[in-house]
Amino acid sequence: MRIRMIIRGIFGLGSLIALNRISASNRISALNRISASNRISTFYGLSALYCLSAFSVSAQKTSAQSPYHREIQATIRSLTLKEKVGQMTQLNLDVVSVGEIYKLKEPHTLDTVKLKEALHSRKVGSILNCGGHAYSLEHWRSIQSTLNKLAQQAPGSFIPLIYGIDAIHGANYLHEGLLFPQPLAQAASFDSALVRRVAMAAAYQTAASGIPWNFSPVLDVARHPLWSRFFETYGEDPHLVSELGAACISGYQGTHPSRPTQVAATMKHFLGYGMPHTGKDRTPTYIHPRQLREWILPPFEAGIRAGALSVMVNSGELNGIPVHADPEILTNLLRKELGFQGLVVSDWEDIEKLVTVHRVAANYKEATRMAVMAGVDLAMVPNDYRFTDALMELAESGEVPMKRIDEAVYRILHVKHSLGLFNRQLPEPISQFPLMQTDTFHHLNMESARSSWILLKNRRQVLPLAKGSSVVLAGQALDEPFCWNGAWSRTWQGVDPRWDTMNAGISLIEAIQEYFQLGLTIPAPRVFSSDARVEANTLQSMRTDAEQAPLIVVVAEKPSTEKPGDIEQLSLPADEIAWIRRLCAAHAGPKILVLVQNRPRIISSIDSLFDAILLSNQPGSAGTRSLAELLSGGYSPSGRLPYTYPAREHSLMTYDHKHTERLHTDFSMNAFQPAYAFGHGLGYAPIRYESLELLQPLPARATDSLRLRVRLRNEGVYTQKETVMAFVSDSVASITPPAKRLRAIKAVVLQSGASTEVDLVFPISSLGFVGRDLKHTLEPGWFTLQVGPLQTRWEWIP
C-alpha cells in the first residue's frame, strides 16, 4: 500500500507544481483545498524524492507549504540565530512606548531608545495591541510609518515587521473606525454575505491604519452561555459558525491578501475554548474526541479551506493538558491531519502561564521549550524579552532543534510574503482608501444593525408603534453607548468614558426622539433598591401623565470580556427584577422589553409582564437608531436566535441535544423547554410555509446532494426577509443521534402578498456523523428533513 501511496504522491506533486502557475495570492487557498488523502499521498511522494535531494527532510517538506519557498529558504539561510528568534517574538506596543507598561504617558508617543532595542538589537519581528485605547487614523499611520522605517534600518537581513490588532467588530481601536454589531449580533442575520461585507469593511479601515493582521474571527462554538466571550462567537451551531466564520475570513483576506485593503485573518482559539466546563473563562474543558470532531473542529476546517493565514491557541486546557503545550493538538491534528499551512501564534502571556497558572512547567525556559516544540511559531510574549532569551539558550543547547526554529520562521515569513510586506511600505498612501471619506460603511453598519434585532415576542401585535406617538422610556443604557457597543470597542472592556464614547453612536434617548414623542424618561438607578418609595414620584408620573403610552424598558448587560466578564449566574439580580416589576405594575399601557446583552440572561420571571420582547447581542454604534426605526415600523425585524435561549439557570441545553435529554419527570418527552428556541425570530409580516418537496434522483450516491424545495408566502403588509433553514434528524444510528442538526440556510426577501420557491441544497454526506472510530460515518436509514413547520422523510440506501 505504501508503494502505491508513493506512486500516487509523485503524481500528486503535479498539483503542487501547478501552484506555481497560479497567482501568488491564490496559492494558499489552493493548497488548503487539497484533500487530506492527497496530502498524505503527496507526503509519501515527497518522502521518496527526499533521498535524491541535498536538502533536509524538514526543509523539503516545507517546500510544499508556500509559493514563496525559494525566497523564504534564501532568507532563512541568511539569518542569524538571534534574527530567527526575533522573528518568533511578538511584543506589546507598551514595550516600545514612553511610560510604564499599562501606564503609558499621554498622548501616546513611541520611545526611540526602546524601539531600537526591540527592532535593532533584539530583531523583534512583530508588535501588537493599542497601548490601552484607540487612536486616530493619523496617529496609527504615524506609528506604523515609524515602526516600519526603523525595521528597514535594522542591521543585517531586512525582514518587514508585522503588526497585529484585535479588530473584533470593525476597526474598533481606530477613532474613525465604525463599531459594527458584535459577532453574535451579526450571527442573528444567518447571512454569510452580510458577514463577509462587514469583514471587508473592517479590513479596509484596519488596513488604512497601516495594520496588516487582525486577530479575528473567533471560531469557537459557544456551547456554554455563561462564558464571558459568548458574544464574540457566531453561536452554538457548528454549521452556522463554519459558514459565517469562513465568510468573515474571506472578507478580511479577499482573493488577494496582499492588496492594500486586505488583512490577514486569525482563527481563534484552537481548540475547545468555547466550552469551558464551569462556564468561566480560561478554565478546563473536557471534551470527548468524538464530540471535539463533531462540534468544535468543523469551523476551523472551514477556516482552513477559506485560506486563513494564522491561528491563535486556546488559553485554557483541554482534557487536562494546556493547549499551548499539546503537540497532539497543535502539530498532529492542526498540521498533519488538517494540513494547516499558516502560522500559529500564542495568546497573551500564555507561555508564562504554563508556569504560573497551569503548573506544567517548572520555569519559563521549560515553558518556552514545551510551547515551541508543541507547535507555537510566534509567542505573544508580550511585555519583556524572557521568551527571546530563553529560546536563544534552548537553541544553543540543542534542546529546541534548529530545524524546528527554521520551521516556525518559515511559516512567519510565508504570512509576511502572502501579505506582500516585502514589496510594499506600510502604511499605504491614504489615497488607496477613498471610502474612508464616504458614507458607504455607515450604510453597511446600519444594515447590519437592523439585521441583528430579534423579535422574540409580539403579543397582540403591539409592535410596530405609530411613528410620532408618545412613549415612556425606562431602564439602562439610555444616554450612554457602552452597552450597545460592548467590549473590544475603543478599549478592551468597552466602558471607559474617556475613550469609549468616541464615534460610538447617538444615545437611545436621541434616537427615540427622532421617531417618537418622548413623554417620560426613567433611568434605572445605579444601585437597585427594594424600597418602592425610591421611585414613588416617578411611578406616580407614569400613572397620571403617560398612563396609556407604550412603556419601553431597556435591560442591558454591562460590557465585559475574558476574565473580567466571568459571572456567577445567568439570572438577572433580584433587586433589578423587583424594580422592573414595580415599573410594569405602575403602567397600564403596552409594555416592550429591549434586551442588549453579552449572553442570554434569564428573563423567565419578567417575560410575562411584557407584550413584546426585542433582543440584540450588542448591535454596535448604529444600534440605537436601528432600534428606534424598528419600533416605529421603518422595517420589519428578521433576526434569528443563533443559540438556544435558556428558561432556567441550570437547564442549559443546546438545540442539538440528545433524545435522552428530552425525558421529563412525568416520563413524557417534553423536558426540553427553552425560553426561546435556536432559530426563533418573528417579523412584522407572517410568512406561511405552504409546501415542502424533496427533489432527489434515485438511486442517490453519497457524493450527491439533497435538494429541498419549499414554497413561501408573505401574508403581511410589510416586506419581510425570511431565513429558511433545513434541519435533519437521523432515526437510528450507531452513535446516539441528536434531536436535529442544521444543514442548510438560505435567505429570501418577500414583498407583501408575494410567494416564492426556495431551494435548499446540502450534500448527502452531511447526514453522517463522527463514528466510534473517530471517522466520518454515513449509515443507511431513514432521515426526517424539516423546513419551518414542514417535514418529509427520506431513506438513504447506499
Side-chain angles (χ1 to χ4, degrees), residues 331 484 522 681:
T331 296
W484 303 90
I522 312 170

Side-chain angles (χ1 to χ4, degrees), residues 473-619:
L473 185 61
Q476 300 153 323
L478 305 185
D479 59 358
E480 51 85 1
F482 310 132
C483 297
W484 303 90
N485 295 321
W488 301 110
S489 289
R490 306 310 183 201
T491 65
W492 175 38
Q493 294 297 312
V495 292
D496 190 329
R498 294 172 299 172
W499 308 107
D500 286 301
T501 54
M502 290 186 173
N503 195 19
I506 65 174
S507 73
L508 181 60
I509 291 175
E510 293 172 307
I512 289 292
Q513 287 174 332
E514 290 183 3
Y515 292 87
F516 300 97
Q517 296 294 321
L518 188 52
L520 190 63
T521 302
I522 312 170
R526 293 187 179 275
V527 178
F528 288 99
S529 170
S530 59
D531 185 354
R533 292 173 298 178
V534 173
E535 299 93 20
N537 292 335
T538 298
L539 299 183
Q540 183 60 36
S541 297
M542 289 176 61
R543 294 187 182 99
T544 58
D545 299 338
E547 186 174 4
Q548 297 302 320
L551 169 65
I552 302 167
V553 179
V554 179
V555 173
E557 182 175 2
K558 179 183 177 181
S560 60
T561 188
E562 300 193 50
K563 208 62 194 173
D566 281 354
I567 58 176
E568 300 301 325
Q569 61 182 28
L570 286 173
S571 297
L572 296 174
D575 287 347
E576 184 175 354
I577 291 173
W579 183 80
I580 293 170
R581 285 184 173 278
R582 292 196 299 275
L583 203 64
C584 291
H587 191 74
K591 302 172 188 66
I592 301 152
L593 176 63
V594 175
L595 300 171
V596 182
Q597 49 194 18
N598 309 9
R599 55 204 136 193
R601 306 304 296 267
I602 292 173
I603 57 170
S604 300
S605 61
I606 58 173
D607 188 311
S608 62
L609 302 178
F610 292 94
D611 300 293
I613 301 177
L614 281 161
L615 162 70
S616 181
N617 292 105
Q618 299 167 326

Side-chain angles (χ1 to χ4, degrees), residues 376-562:
V376 172
D377 301 313
L378 180 61
M380 190 184 291
V381 186
N383 291 325
D384 53 45
Y385 296 100
R386 283 183 297 165
F387 171 83
T388 316
D389 294 337
L391 188 54
M392 284 287 293
E393 293 179 18
L394 289 164
E396 289 169 347
S397 68
E399 294 175 79
V400 172
M402 188 59 68
K403 69 176 183 180
R404 171 65 192 108
I405 290 177
D406 286 351
E407 180 181 58
V409 175
Y410 189 104
R411 293 164 179 165
I412 293 166
L413 296 183
H414 163 72
V415 172
K416 292 184 176 184
H417 273 286
S418 298
L419 291 169
L421 300 184
F422 282 87
N423 304 315
R424 58 191 177 114
Q425 178 71 48
L426 295 182
E428 296 276 359
I430 195 63
S431 60
Q432 295 274 8
F433 305 95
L435 295 182
M436 294 295 289
Q437 307 300 323
T438 72
D439 290 333
T440 300
F441 296 145
H442 289 276
H443 295 314
L444 176 61
N445 193 20
M446 190 65 174
E447 178 187 352
S448 59
R450 288 172 180 145
S451 297
S452 76
W453 286 104
I454 306 166
L455 180 58
L456 298 177
K457 175 181 178 180
N458 196 17
R459 189 167 57 202
R460 297 188 298 274
Q461 285 70 54
V462 66
L463 292 179
L465 306 175
K467 186 174 182 179
S469 60
S470 179
V471 299
V472 177
L473 185 61
Q476 300 153 323
L478 305 185
D479 59 358
E480 51 85 1
F482 310 132
C483 297
W484 303 90
N485 295 321
W488 301 110
S489 289
R490 306 310 183 201
T491 65
W492 175 38
Q493 294 297 312
V495 292
D496 190 329
R498 294 172 299 172
W499 308 107
D500 286 301
T501 54
M502 290 186 173
N503 195 19
I506 65 174
S507 73
L508 181 60
I509 291 175
E510 293 172 307
I512 289 292
Q513 287 174 332
E514 290 183 3
Y515 292 87
F516 300 97
Q517 296 294 321
L518 188 52
L520 190 63
T521 302
I522 312 170
R526 293 187 179 275
V527 178
F528 288 99
S529 170
S530 59
D531 185 354
R533 292 173 298 178
V534 173
E535 299 93 20
N537 292 335
T538 298
L539 299 183
Q540 183 60 36
S541 297
M542 289 176 61
R543 294 187 182 99
T544 58
D545 299 338
E547 186 174 4
Q548 297 302 320
L551 169 65
I552 302 167
V553 179
V554 179
V555 173
E557 182 175 2
K558 179 183 177 181
S560 60
T561 188
E562 300 193 50

